Amino acid sequence: MKLKFGKIERCMLVNDVAALVSCTRTFSCSAAETHLGYSPVVSLKEGAALTVDSFSALAEDLPLRRCDDSDEHSKVDKLLGSGKVADILLWRDEKKTFNCFLLLVLLYYWFFLSGRTFITSAAKLLMMIIVSLYGYSMLPANICGFTIPRVSSACFEVSKVDMRNSFLAMACMWNELSLVTRLLAQGEDWCTFLKVSSFFYFCKLIVPHFLTMAIGIALVVAFTLFFVYEQYEDEIDGMAKVVINRLRKA
């Protein structure tokens, strides 16, 4: 009996929903016109047209994102590790990416365009951070009705997992450097020798004269090139194939 009752109740529910969805309901505003003097500003036909236009404009204003609704990652996303760095450089969260870009621009100006040495800039930056934190801690809990949130001590703590991952990354880098050094000392891997020599020669040319410019260009390119390539990946790959084929034929 319970099963039958459940089936009957479910059937009645489905029928009610179907009847509610399928019927057309219109509401008259004659009472409002009679008692309140109401008159529609926009007609029904014009309102429907404006609604359709608003949806079209909303679709045009949406940011271009290919991979938000799909599980397949793009080439750039895989190249960047499909993590926080990829989310920032590919503008997944526009507000977060803009804040990171603005912070990096300020640091770039502070360390490279201020005319001070790196040590002096770092010391002044640390001093400003300390003074700001101390001044913020001295503020009262309530100012003119506005509650001042306190900085939790957890913000300055580093978890064991993060420390372990940092040390593991440093150990991996040290092992790779040791491997390259051992290969160079043996004098058998000429390819590695040429790569290392070219790298140091390039650094010798760039660092004294073009380091500031190179870092600025790299900063702008990092926040634009990856995003543009992800949006027009097929078109750029097609153009690259055409150029490569023409170069091979030439």
Side-chain angles (χ1 to χ4, degrees), residues 6-116:
K7 290 182 179 179
I8 294 174
E9 185 179 7
R10 184 180 299 176
C11 182
M12 292 176 61
L13 180 61
V14 172
N15 291 336
D16 292 339
V17 173
L20 181 63
V21 173
S22 60
C23 66
T24 302
R25 298 179 181 272
T26 56
F27 300 93
S28 176
C29 60
S30 58
E33 292 176 350
T34 302
H35 300 287
L36 302 177
Y38 169 77
S39 60
V41 179
V42 180
S43 63
L44 178 61
K45 184 176 181 180
E46 186 179 358
L50 292 175
T51 303
V52 173
D53 294 338
S54 66
F55 280 116
S56 302
L58 180 62
E60 292 176 357
D61 293 338
L62 289 176
L64 297 174
R65 294 176 181 175
R66 287 186 175 183
C67 301
D68 288 350
D69 300 330
S70 61
D71 296 332
E72 185 178 357
H73 297 283
S74 63
K75 295 179 182 179
V76 181
D77 197 4
K78 294 178 181 178
L79 178 64
L80 296 175
S82 300
K84 294 182 179 180
V85 177
D87 293 338
I88 292 175
L89 294 181
L90 297 178
W91 294 80
R92 305 293 189 206
D93 188 349
E94 296 178 355
K95 183 178 179 180
K96 184 177 181 180
T97 301
F98 179 77
N99 291 334
C100 292
F101 178 73
L102 183 61
L103 177 62
L104 291 176
V105 169
L106 293 176
L107 291 176
Y108 172 73
Y109 174 80
W110 183 264
F111 283 98
F112 295 99
L113 300 180
S114 60
R116 297 184 294 265

Side-chain angles (χ1 to χ4, degrees), residues 135-172:
Y136 186 81
S137 64
M138 297 297 293
L139 293 176
N142 196 328
I143 299 179
C144 299
F146 294 96
T147 303
I148 305 299
R150 294 302 178 185
V151 180
S152 175
S153 59
C155 297
F156 304 97
E157 296 177 356
V158 181
S159 63
K160 294 181 179 179
V161 177
D162 294 336
M163 288 295 296
R164 187 182 299 110
N165 293 335
S166 300
F167 280 110
L168 287 176
M170 293 174 61
C172 291

Side-chain angles (χ1 to χ4, degrees), residues 231-247:
Q231 302 305 321
Y232 303 98
E233 182 177 327
D234 297 333
E235 293 82 355
I236 294 175
D237 289 343
M239 293 175 60
K241 290 180 181 179
V242 171
V243 172
I244 292 174
N245 292 332
R246 290 185 178 180
L247 291 176

